[in-house]
Amino acid sequence: MPIYIKTEVIKEEYLVKNYMRKQIINEHINWINKLHKEGINIKSGFLVDEFKKPGAGGLLFLEVETYEDAIEIIKNDPMIKNDIVEWKLNEWININP
């Protein structure tokens, strides 16, 4: 089954709105957990630098049949619904057997 990867970066104006950002991230985590419990193979996390400092964005891995299926799921992500991230969805193509 194909794997789709959503890359995202929090919009600059939300970097200073800590309370709102944290609230939406908690909604995002609950959304991920709900999908996982429903049997969807999904993983989400954020990137850190060599000092473990966040800020380089996040990744979401989603295993579904089609790009359209991935979009249908992703558009319900609280981080997208609340428009706090710039994001892009791509299919991952495995090059090793």
Side-chain angles (χ1 to χ4, degrees), residues 30-45:
N30 291 335
W31 174 75
I32 293 291
N33 291 335
K34 177 181 169 283
L35 291 173
H36 185 72
K37 286 178 184 173
E38 291 174 3
I40 295 173
N41 189 6
I42 188 167
K43 303 271 190 262
S44 182

Side-chain angles (χ1 to χ4, degrees), residues 4 6 10 12 18 20-21 24 26 30 35-36 38 42 44 51-53 55 60-62 72 75-76 79 83 89:
Y4 297 88
K6 178 186 74 153
I10 293 179
E12 193 169 325
N18 283 334
M20 184 176 190
R21 184 181 75 239
I24 294 169
N26 284 335
N30 291 335
L35 291 173
H36 185 72
E38 291 174 3
I42 188 167
S44 182
F51 304 108
K52 305 292 186 206
K53 180 182 173 201
L60 182 142
F61 297 82
L62 178 61
E72 279 299 308
K75 71 181 185 183
N76 291 306
M79 295 179 77
D83 197 34
L89 182 67

Side-chain angles (χ1 to χ4, degrees), residues 11 14 20 24 27 77-85:
K11 293 179 178 179
Y14 290 98
M20 184 176 190
I24 294 169
E27 291 173 17
D77 182 340
M79 295 179 77
I80 292 174
K81 288 175 81 172
N82 287 283
D83 197 34
I84 71 164
V85 292

